[in-house]
Amino acid sequence: MTKIGILGGTGALGAALAGRLAKAGHEICIGSRDPAKADRVAREIAAASGGSISGAGLIETAEGNELLFITVPYAAHADTLSQVRDAVQGKIVVDATVPLQLPKVGTVQLPAAGCAALEAANILGPGVRLVSALQNIGAEKLASGQAIDADVFVAGDDAAAVEVVQELLSQLAIRSWHVGPLANSAAAEALTSVLIQLNRRYKLVQAGVRITGERKDAPR
Amino acid sequence: MTKIGILGGTGALGAALAGRLAKAGHEICIGSRDPAKADRVAREIAAASGGSISGAGLIETAEGNELLFITVPYAAHADTLSQVRDAVQGKIVVDATVPLQLPKVGTVQLPAAGCAALEAANILGPGVRLVSALQNIGAEKLASGQAIDADVFVAGDDAAAVEVVQELLSQLAIRSWHVGPLANSAAAEALTSVLIQLNRRYKLVQAGVRITGERKDAPR
């Protein structure tokens, strides 16, 4: 059981993640700029999932938990990270942010730093164990509790932190891959706009990706 | 039957593509900076595939064919496009270039323009019907002639040109998706470094991706 904070946990992805992690037995705190809203959403999710979920402000959530997810909209990304920077030093921070730019969310528009995860690294500094994950899983799918027919890319330079995150995801029945250094979060972030396009063009319900390819030692 | 030129057709991807397109009944010309090498490789592939394949220089290939693929290494990308710019005006050009930067080919390092396809658009100008495709299919897989357990992303702003390319790919038994505007080539280009990482880390034989997601009108 890990004490997990979800900064931006009142949003669709954050709330879905909170419910799924609580069901898996973790103690969850939802962090929001609006602590009253965080508390209300926490109670709703706790009622639905039966797990241990509380709500608090951003800094309080960052201070009181061992591992933090960031599930804020891109417009609030830099500001949220700046607020919690001191409180998350030494901790594992899992950034799920996709740099979607309104109104063209279906067009890849990565930031000058390369991707949102590298922007986060610049803000948080080298003392934070930063991992990028969960850019390509729809909130509905995650909230449904059903099996997820899509893989998650996990990018990060801290191999032990990546392993912790992959273990958490496997507890949620999500297959994940370590896709390389934090810079490779660019692939997952860009893919989100592609999936938005595919949902529209091909009328798919929450498109995702699966990795294919046989293992070299597999029998032929 | 289409007259197709492959600029960079002496490389692994270009040669594999030439063989597979020739088998599908198209008339192929391999274009290279070294016309003698192009001619030699063309004869080798023709012997193996039994199709109609010739070799020529870059500009001659660009001038003499209706549709062109670009399969050059990134280091030769801008120079090759500049050379053939005049010869390809009004034609469909399919860019398969991935901006891999040696030695870190497993790290996403997209160019400042956003992706190699947008760089190509800047060089070729608005008179070329530019499409991006085939960044994520291994040359070995393509050359094998076997079924390919991976999807191809096709990006482009000219819907009719995208449709022509998707039809060509379907003739090669390759499933493809129109993933949106040319800018979305960034996702496919970034994905290549991820697939390189996965081949290494998980010892996969030419990792690829498949799109998942039910159609909205599918029976539940």
Short mmCIF file of all heavy atoms in Angstrom, two decimals, chain A residues 11-44:
data_model
loop_
_atom_site.label_atom_id
_atom_site.label_comp_id
_atom_site.label_asym_id
_atom_site.label_seq_id
_atom_site.Cartn_x
_atom_site.Cartn_y
_atom_site.Cartn_z
N GLY A 11 -10.13 16.25 -12.12
CA GLY A 11 -10.39 16.10 -13.56
C GLY A 11 -10.75 14.66 -13.91
O GLY A 11 -10.67 13.78 -13.06
N ALA A 12 -11.12 14.44 -15.17
CA ALA A 12 -11.61 13.12 -15.59
C ALA A 12 -10.54 12.04 -15.43
O ALA A 12 -10.80 10.97 -14.86
CB ALA A 12 -12.09 13.18 -17.04
N LEU A 13 -9.32 12.30 -15.92
CA LEU A 13 -8.27 11.29 -15.83
C LEU A 13 -7.86 11.06 -14.38
O LEU A 13 -7.72 9.91 -13.93
CB LEU A 13 -7.04 11.71 -16.65
CG LEU A 13 -5.88 10.71 -16.62
CD1 LEU A 13 -6.25 9.39 -17.27
CD2 LEU A 13 -4.63 11.27 -17.29
N GLY A 14 -7.68 12.15 -13.63
CA GLY A 14 -7.25 12.04 -12.24
C GLY A 14 -8.25 11.27 -11.39
O GLY A 14 -7.88 10.40 -10.60
N ALA A 15 -9.52 11.58 -11.58
CA ALA A 15 -10.56 10.92 -10.80
C ALA A 15 -10.63 9.43 -11.14
O ALA A 15 -10.78 8.58 -10.25
CB ALA A 15 -11.91 11.60 -11.05
N ALA A 16 -10.52 9.11 -12.43
CA ALA A 16 -10.55 7.70 -12.84
C ALA A 16 -9.37 6.94 -12.25
O ALA A 16 -9.50 5.82 -11.76
CB ALA A 16 -10.52 7.61 -14.37
N LEU A 17 -8.21 7.58 -12.27
CA LEU A 17 -7.00 6.98 -11.72
C LEU A 17 -7.14 6.78 -10.21
O LEU A 17 -6.75 5.73 -9.67
CB LEU A 17 -5.82 7.90 -12.04
CG LEU A 17 -4.42 7.38 -11.80
CD1 LEU A 17 -4.14 6.14 -12.62
CD2 LEU A 17 -3.40 8.48 -12.15
N ALA A 18 -7.69 7.79 -9.55
CA ALA A 18 -7.89 7.71 -8.09
C ALA A 18 -8.75 6.50 -7.74
O ALA A 18 -8.42 5.72 -6.84
CB ALA A 18 -8.54 9.00 -7.59
N GLY A 19 -9.86 6.33 -8.46
CA GLY A 19 -10.76 5.22 -8.19
C GLY A 19 -10.08 3.87 -8.40
O GLY A 19 -10.19 2.96 -7.58
N ARG A 20 -9.33 3.77 -9.50
CA ARG A 20 -8.71 2.49 -9.84
C ARG A 20 -7.57 2.15 -8.86
O ARG A 20 -7.40 0.99 -8.47
CB ARG A 20 -8.18 2.56 -11.29
CG ARG A 20 -8.18 1.24 -11.99
CD ARG A 20 -8.49 1.35 -13.47
NE ARG A 20 -8.16 0.11 -14.15
CZ ARG A 20 -8.81 -0.39 -15.18
NH1 ARG A 20 -9.82 0.25 -15.70
NH2 ARG A 20 -8.44 -1.53 -15.74
N LEU A 21 -6.81 3.18 -8.45
CA LEU A 21 -5.73 2.95 -7.49
C LEU A 21 -6.29 2.62 -6.10
O LEU A 21 -5.73 1.79 -5.38
CB LEU A 21 -4.82 4.18 -7.40
CG LEU A 21 -3.87 4.40 -8.58
CD1 LEU A 21 -3.28 5.81 -8.54
CD2 LEU A 21 -2.75 3.36 -8.58
N ALA A 22 -7.38 3.26 -5.73
CA ALA A 22 -8.00 2.99 -4.43
C ALA A 22 -8.51 1.55 -4.38
O ALA A 22 -8.32 0.85 -3.39
CB ALA A 22 -9.13 3.99 -4.16
N LYS A 23 -9.15 1.13 -5.46
CA LYS A 23 -9.65 -0.26 -5.52
C LYS A 23 -8.51 -1.25 -5.39
O LYS A 23 -8.70 -2.35 -4.88
CB LYS A 23 -10.35 -0.50 -6.87
CG LYS A 23 -11.85 -0.24 -6.82
CD LYS A 23 -12.51 -0.65 -8.13
CE LYS A 23 -13.82 0.10 -8.31
NZ LYS A 23 -14.27 0.11 -9.71
N ALA A 24 -7.31 -0.85 -5.89
CA ALA A 24 -6.15 -1.75 -5.80
C ALA A 24 -5.53 -1.72 -4.41
O ALA A 24 -4.53 -2.40 -4.15
CB ALA A 24 -5.11 -1.36 -6.86
N GLY A 25 -6.12 -0.92 -3.49
CA GLY A 25 -5.67 -0.97 -2.10
C GLY A 25 -4.77 0.17 -1.66
O GLY A 25 -4.26 0.15 -0.54
N HIS A 26 -4.56 1.16 -2.49
CA HIS A 26 -3.70 2.27 -2.11
C HIS A 26 -4.50 3.38 -1.43
O HIS A 26 -5.71 3.50 -1.62
CB HIS A 26 -2.97 2.82 -3.35
CG HIS A 26 -2.08 1.79 -3.98
ND1 HIS A 26 -0.89 1.38 -3.42
CD2 HIS A 26 -2.24 1.03 -5.10
CE1 HIS A 26 -0.36 0.43 -4.17
NE2 HIS A 26 -1.15 0.20 -5.20
N GLU A 27 -3.79 4.18 -0.62
CA GLU A 27 -4.42 5.30 0.08
C GLU A 27 -4.24 6.54 -0.79
O GLU A 27 -3.11 6.96 -1.05
CB GLU A 27 -3.74 5.47 1.45
CG GLU A 27 -4.47 6.45 2.34
CD GLU A 27 -3.78 6.57 3.70
OE1 GLU A 27 -3.17 5.58 4.15
OE2 GLU A 27 -3.82 7.68 4.25
N ILE A 28 -5.33 7.10 -1.25
CA ILE A 28 -5.27 8.16 -2.26
C ILE A 28 -5.67 9.52 -1.68
O ILE A 28 -6.63 9.63 -0.92
CB ILE A 28 -6.26 7.83 -3.41
CG1 ILE A 28 -5.99 6.43 -3.97
CG2 ILE A 28 -6.16 8.89 -4.51
CD1 ILE A 28 -4.61 6.21 -4.51
N CYS A 29 -4.92 10.54 -2.06
CA CYS A 29 -5.32 11.91 -1.76
C CYS A 29 -5.44 12.69 -3.06
O CYS A 29 -4.51 12.72 -3.87
CB CYS A 29 -4.30 12.59 -0.84
SG CYS A 29 -4.77 14.29 -0.44
N ILE A 30 -6.61 13.28 -3.28
CA ILE A 30 -6.84 14.11 -4.46
C ILE A 30 -6.45 15.54 -4.14
O ILE A 30 -6.94 16.12 -3.16
CB ILE A 30 -8.33 14.02 -4.86
CG1 ILE A 30 -8.57 12.67 -5.54
CG2 ILE A 30 -8.74 15.17 -5.75
CD1 ILE A 30 -9.99 12.46 -5.95
N GLY A 31 -5.56 16.10 -4.96
CA GLY A 31 -5.11 17.47 -4.73
C GLY A 31 -5.69 18.40 -5.78
O GLY A 31 -5.70 18.07 -6.97
N SER A 32 -6.16 19.56 -5.34
CA SER A 32 -6.74 20.53 -6.28
C SER A 32 -6.48 21.94 -5.76
O SER A 32 -6.25 22.15 -4.58
CB SER A 32 -8.25 20.30 -6.40
OG SER A 32 -8.88 21.38 -7.06
N ARG A 33 -6.50 22.90 -6.69
CA ARG A 33 -6.41 24.30 -6.27
C ARG A 33 -7.57 24.65 -5.35
O ARG A 33 -7.49 25.55 -4.55
CB ARG A 33 -6.44 25.21 -7.51
CG ARG A 33 -5.09 25.39 -8.14
CD ARG A 33 -5.16 26.32 -9.30
NE ARG A 33 -5.91 25.71 -10.42
CZ ARG A 33 -5.94 26.20 -11.65
NH1 ARG A 33 -5.29 27.31 -11.93
NH2 ARG A 33 -6.61 25.60 -12.60
N ASP A 34 -8.67 23.90 -5.50
CA ASP A 34 -9.88 24.13 -4.72
C ASP A 34 -10.08 22.96 -3.77
O ASP A 34 -10.66 21.94 -4.13
CB ASP A 34 -11.05 24.25 -5.71
CG ASP A 34 -12.38 24.50 -5.02
OD1 ASP A 34 -12.45 24.38 -3.78
OD2 ASP A 34 -13.35 24.81 -5.73
N PRO A 35 -9.57 23.08 -2.52
CA PRO A 35 -9.62 21.94 -1.59
C PRO A 35 -11.04 21.45 -1.31
O PRO A 35 -11.25 20.25 -1.10
CB PRO A 35 -8.98 22.50 -0.31
CG PRO A 35 -8.17 23.68 -0.75
CD PRO A 35 -8.90 24.25 -1.92
N ALA A 36 -12.02 22.37 -1.33
CA ALA A 36 -13.41 21.96 -1.07
C ALA A 36 -13.90 21.04 -2.19
O ALA A 36 -14.56 20.03 -1.95
CB ALA A 36 -14.31 23.19 -0.96
N LYS A 37 -13.51 21.40 -3.42
CA LYS A 37 -13.90 20.56 -4.56
C LYS A 37 -13.19 19.20 -4.47
O LYS A 37 -13.78 18.15 -4.74
CB LYS A 37 -13.53 21.26 -5.87
CG LYS A 37 -14.06 20.54 -7.10
CD LYS A 37 -13.74 21.30 -8.38
CE LYS A 37 -14.19 20.49 -9.60
NZ LYS A 37 -13.64 21.05 -10.86
N ALA A 38 -11.90 19.23 -4.09
CA ALA A 38 -11.14 17.98 -3.95
C ALA A 38 -11.81 17.07 -2.95
O ALA A 38 -11.95 15.86 -3.18
CB ALA A 38 -9.71 18.30 -3.51
N ASP A 39 -12.28 17.65 -1.85
CA ASP A 39 -12.93 16.88 -0.80
C ASP A 39 -14.23 16.26 -1.31
O ASP A 39 -14.52 15.09 -1.05
CB ASP A 39 -13.20 17.81 0.39
CG ASP A 39 -13.52 17.03 1.64
OD1 ASP A 39 -12.67 16.20 2.05
OD2 ASP A 39 -14.62 17.22 2.18
N ARG A 40 -14.99 17.05 -2.06
CA ARG A 40 -16.28 16.58 -2.59
C ARG A 40 -16.06 15.43 -3.58
O ARG A 40 -16.70 14.38 -3.50
CB ARG A 40 -17.00 17.75 -3.28
CG ARG A 40 -18.45 17.46 -3.59
CD ARG A 40 -19.18 18.69 -4.12
NE ARG A 40 -18.69 19.10 -5.43
CZ ARG A 40 -18.08 20.25 -5.70
NH1 ARG A 40 -17.88 21.13 -4.74
NH2 ARG A 40 -17.69 20.54 -6.93
N VAL A 41 -15.10 15.63 -4.51
CA VAL A 41 -14.84 14.59 -5.51
C VAL A 41 -14.30 13.33 -4.83
O VAL A 41 -14.68 12.21 -5.18
CB VAL A 41 -13.84 15.11 -6.58
CG1 VAL A 41 -13.40 13.98 -7.51
CG2 VAL A 41 -14.48 16.23 -7.39
N ALA A 42 -13.44 13.51 -3.81
CA ALA A 42 -12.89 12.37 -3.08
C ALA A 42 -14.01 11.53 -2.47
O ALA A 42 -14.00 10.29 -2.55
CB ALA A 42 -11.94 12.85 -1.99
N ARG A 43 -15.00 12.22 -1.89
CA ARG A 43 -16.11 11.48 -1.27
C ARG A 43 -16.93 10.72 -2.32
O ARG A 43 -17.35 9.59 -2.08
CB ARG A 43 -17.00 12.44 -0.47
CG ARG A 43 -16.57 12.45 1.00
CD ARG A 43 -17.46 13.30 1.84
NE ARG A 43 -16.90 14.66 1.94
CZ ARG A 43 -17.31 15.57 2.82
NH1 ARG A 43 -18.30 15.29 3.64
NH2 ARG A 43 -16.74 16.75 2.86
N GLU A 44 -17.13 11.37 -3.48
CA GLU A 44 -17.89 10.71 -4.55
C GLU A 44 -17.17 9.44 -5.02
O GLU A 44 -17.78 8.39 -5.18
CB GLU A 44 -18.05 11.65 -5.75
CG GLU A 44 -19.08 12.76 -5.53
CD GLU A 44 -18.98 13.85 -6.61
OE1 GLU A 44 -18.32 13.61 -7.65
OE2 GLU A 44 -19.55 14.94 -6.40
#
